[in-house]
């Protein structure tokens, strides 16, 4: 049975994914700046202030963001 399943998946073909629009480097840079330093005039701290420098979280009040649903991050 395992061999039949392996053969099934081995025989599958893939369709190349359509190429999307190129990434907007200005938006990526702005997101990186927000993540690193935040936007203090609006009260938004940088990511590391809540998740810790390594992104592992800081105690129960600030859990690590890895594995969270998209709306959380």
């Amino acid at each position: 049975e395992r061999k039949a399943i392996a053969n099934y998946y081995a025989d599958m073909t893939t369709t190349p994914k359509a190429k999307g629009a190129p990434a907007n480097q200005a938006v990526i840079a702005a997101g990186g700046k927000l993540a690193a330093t935040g936007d203090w005039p609006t009260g938004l701290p940088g990511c590391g202030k809540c998740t810790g420098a390594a992104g592992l979280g800081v105690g129960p009040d600030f859990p690590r963001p890895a594995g969270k649903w998209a709306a959380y991050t």
Side-chain angles (χ1 to χ4, degrees):
E1 188 174 308
R2 284 185 266 180
K3 191 169 189 164
I5 293 170
N7 287 334
Y8 170 79
Y9 284 108
D11 290 339
M12 292 179 84
T13 58
T14 60
T15 304
K17 188 175 180 181
K19 187 171 182 170
N24 183 325
Q25 294 303 314
V27 172
I28 291 172
K33 183 175 185 278
L34 276 176
T37 62
D39 184 11
W40 287 106
T42 64
L44 178 69
C47 294
K49 297 294 182 190
C50 295
T51 64
L56 300 176
V58 180
D61 294 326
F62 299 103
R64 68 187 191 117
K68 299 291 188 266
W69 57 100
Y72 180 87
T73 56

